[in-house]
């Protein structure tokens, strides 16, 4: 019998969510939610993980929990179908982390390429907080606590999923078949795997301040798009331009489809035609950027409008999180019970 399909995914409350989250994971989550194919869906606000590199800035984490929840509701995550939860309210996750730590070596954690690049980004080379160093293990706890089969996420999460799968195999071999091995579900389009920032940096990231936020006003989006780098050698409109590594075209790859052309840029039938013209020479950056603004605005406008509605009722948002967390805690408690039994540390269960 095929295992029950269960989703676990989430975000760190280190800022509002951005268009990288949208194309990398949020858009797919909403589709999966509405497909009806998944028995249970858990969407986690990873506040405990956010504290591993923001220990001295608890207000930032606290304030962003509700911002992330607002972003969830605005993109169309529906509390009737998806459990939204707060990580730190589920102590079972911390307990699982502690037991999984015995199954992972220090060199294995040091090899994790995402952790390596994040350590560099945060200037932790001379002293990594132990909690931060171990966060891939805590992520394995989050995923396995809900017996997740599927984790929709961006490419930077691939090493985390590999690490989780190793922990699952090690646990199941040592103690018996208790945990489920999850698969990552990456976005289909290459441009969405790791959307670059507006500065052209490898990844749009809350911590780098190179983001277009889902909640940015139309004018703000326009300002950010109009000041983006394109091809540095494309100086005159008549110059041939490069589309590869050109962030404006990468964003178009992520957001655009043929339906936008008749209304916003009828000179072309599709993005390929537009790209060809740019590469040939004769198409200016301003025209492409204006088109991108229209395309992004069409996607972001309904999200912005829904956010404005939900912002009027913040107690409702907290209620959604409380209910979602309670349900999630039940699931995690069951897994912890099974784990402790398998590990022979269930002393009082029979009494
Ligand atoms: P931080 O800088 O605090 O780590 P972040 O912007 O990297 O924040 P996370 O909360 O770490 O965001 O990531 C949440 C989810 O969004 C993950 O599944 C991650 O893969 C995905 N994601 C984040 N940034 C991008 C991006 N630029 N492109 C595609 N997916 C992304
Ligand atoms: Mg991140």
């Amino acid at each position: 019998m095929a295992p029950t399909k269960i989703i676990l995914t989430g975000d760190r409350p280190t800022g509002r969510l951005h268009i990288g989250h949208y194309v990398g994971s949020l858009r797919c989550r909403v589709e999966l939610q509405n497909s009806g194919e998944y028995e249970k869906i858990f969407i986690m606000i990873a506040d405990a993980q956010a504290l591993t590199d923001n220990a001295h800035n608890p207000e930032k984490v606290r304030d962003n929990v509700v911002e992330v929840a607002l972003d969830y509701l605005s993109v169309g995550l529906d509390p009737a179908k998806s459990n939204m939860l707060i990580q730190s309210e589920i102590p079972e996750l911390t307990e699982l982390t502690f037991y999984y730590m015995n199954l992972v070596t220090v060199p294995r954690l040091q090899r994790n390429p995402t952790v390596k690049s994040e350590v560099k980004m945060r200037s932790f080379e001379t002293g990594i907080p132990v909690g931060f160093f171990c966060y891939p293990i805590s992520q394995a706890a989050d995923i396995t606590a809900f017996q997740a089969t599927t984790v929709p996420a961006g490419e930077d999460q691939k090493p985390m999923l590999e690490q989780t799968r190793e922990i699952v195999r090690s646990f199941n071999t040592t103690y018996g078949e208790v945990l489920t091995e999850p698969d990552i579900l990456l976005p289909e389009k290459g441009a969405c795997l790791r959307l670059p920032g507006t500065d052209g940096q490898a990844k749009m990231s809350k911590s780098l301040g190179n983001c277009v936020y889902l909640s940015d006003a139309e004018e703000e989006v326009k300002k950010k798009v109009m000041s983006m780098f394109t091809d540095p050698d494309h100086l005159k409109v008549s110059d041939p331009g490069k589309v590869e590594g050109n962030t404006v075209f990468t964003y178009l790859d992520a957001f655009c489809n043929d339906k936008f052309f008749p209304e916003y840029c009828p000179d072309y039938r599709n993005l390929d035609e537009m790209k060809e013209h740019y590469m040939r020479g004769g198409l200016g950056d301003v025209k492409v950027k204006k088109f991108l603004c229209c395309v992004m605005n069409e996607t972001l406008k309904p999200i912005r409008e829904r956010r404005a509605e939900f912002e009027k009722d913040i107690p409702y948002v907290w209620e959604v999180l409380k209910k979602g967390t309670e349900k999630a805690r039940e699931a995690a408690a069951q897994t912890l019970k099974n784990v402790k039994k398998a590990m022979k540390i269930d002393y009082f269960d029979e009494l």
Side-chain angles (χ1 to χ4, degrees):
M1 205 175 70
T4 315
K5 286 166 84 177
I6 299 174
I7 289 176
L8 176 283
T9 181
D11 308 271
R12 296 151 39 91
T14 48
R16 293 178 171 207
L17 299 184
H18 53 65
I19 58 169
H21 297 116
Y22 185 71
V23 300
S25 175
L26 292 173
R27 184 163 61 183
C28 170
R29 287 181 209 176
V30 176
E31 278 166 21
L32 297 175
Q33 167 195 274
N34 296 336
S35 75
E37 279 179 29
Y38 289 82
E39 183 97 347
K40 292 181 209 152
I41 302 178
F42 298 98
I43 315 279
M44 189 178 78
I45 302 184
D47 63 333
Q49 188 189 118
L51 283 165
T52 65
D53 58 327
N54 289 282
H56 305 292
N57 201 352
E59 293 83 13
K60 173 173 152 187
V61 174
R62 164 93 200 191
D63 293 346
N64 280 304
V65 168
V66 77
E67 296 295 342
V68 170
L70 280 165
D71 286 325
Y72 285 169
L73 295 168
S74 317
V75 297
L77 288 174
D78 173 0
K81 298 178 187 157
S82 298
N83 270 305
M84 296 170 229
L85 59 120
I86 302 180
Q87 185 185 25
S88 67
E89 289 289 332
I90 306 188
E92 286 80 1
L93 300 175
T94 322
E95 253 187 279
L96 286 173
T97 305
F98 193 67
Y99 298 129
Y100 294 173
M101 279 178 174
N102 304 330
L103 305 174
V104 182
T105 64
V106 171
R108 175 63 186 89
L109 279 178
Q110 281 167 330
R111 270 204 314 275
N112 186 315
T114 301
V115 174
K116 266 192 197 164
S117 71
E118 290 181 339
V119 162
K120 221 167 146 194
M121 202 171 103
R122 289 163 176 77
S123 307
F124 279 164
E125 285 102 332
T126 48
I128 311 173
V130 175
F132 184 81
F133 185 60
C134 297
Y135 94 74
I137 305 177
S138 120
Q139 219 166 299
D142 303 334
I143 296 167
T144 55
F146 302 106
Q147 303 284 8
T149 51
T150 314
V151 181
E155 199 180 33
D156 62 311
Q157 294 302 309
K158 250 170 128 177
M160 303 302 162
L161 263 289
E162 274 163 32
Q163 180 97 66
T164 301
R165 291 166 66 90
E166 276 176 40
I167 291 174
V168 168
R169 285 198 288 268
S170 172
F171 187 98
N172 287 351
T173 314
T174 313
Y175 303 112
E177 290 286 325
V178 172
L179 303 176
T180 306
E181 239 183 273
D183 285 312
I184 190 167
L185 188 62
L186 294 168
E188 275 166 25
K189 288 186 185 170
C192 303
L193 288 170
R194 188 182 291 255
L195 197 77
T198 49
D199 54 358
Q201 286 265 359
K203 183 178 161 316
M204 181 174 286
S205 173
K206 295 185 225 100
S207 307
L208 288 174
N210 56 4
C211 307
V212 176
Y213 293 98
L214 292 175
S215 50
D216 278 347
E218 191 173 342
E219 272 313 301
E220 187 68 23
V221 174
K222 198 165 164 199
K223 215 166 81 194
K224 289 180 180 174
V225 169
M226 294 318 278
S227 59
M228 269 163 64
F229 289 106
T230 53
D231 169 7
D233 299 322
H234 186 243
L235 299 172
K236 291 200 296 290
V237 172
S238 55
D239 288 339
K242 274 201 279 299
V243 295
E244 214 128 293
N246 182 330
T247 314
V248 176
F249 278 100
T250 310
Y251 286 12
L252 280 174
D253 279 332
F255 279 96
C256 185
N257 56 48
D258 297 354
K259 77 165 197 230
F260 290 109
F261 284 91
E263 189 177 347
Y264 298 121
C265 205
D267 296 351
Y268 311 100
R269 272 175 307 177
N270 54 45
L271 190 54
D272 284 339
E273 280 187 15
M274 188 180 223
K275 284 182 179 173
E276 269 164 33
H277 193 186
Y278 190 83
M279 290 189 288
R280 225 175 31 241
L283 172 57
D285 285 334
V286 172
K287 184 165 174 176
V288 185
K289 285 180 172 178
K290 281 192 173 155
F291 177 58
L292 175 62
C293 284
C294 295
V295 169
M296 292 218 318
N297 194 46
E298 187 128 330
T299 309
L300 297 179
K301 194 166 171 256
I303 298 176
R304 237 181 256 134
E305 286 172 355
R306 276 196 298 267
R307 193 183 222 274
E309 283 306 305
F310 285 116
E311 277 173 354
K312 290 184 196 151
D313 193 359
I314 298 297
Y316 166 77
V317 180
W318 283 111
E319 200 50 42
V320 164
L321 291 175
K322 188 159 178 265
K323 285 210 182 104
T325 303
E326 276 163 11
K327 260 192 150 166
R329 190 167 180 194
E330 281 169 28
Q334 186 56 52
T335 303
L336 180 65
K337 204 169 168 15
N338 298 344
V339 159
K340 291 180 79 171
K341 187 168 193 300
M343 292 179 72
K344 307 193 186 304
I345 50 174
D346 58 337
Y347 309 106
F348 302 139
D349 274 10
E350 303 296 315
L351 292 183

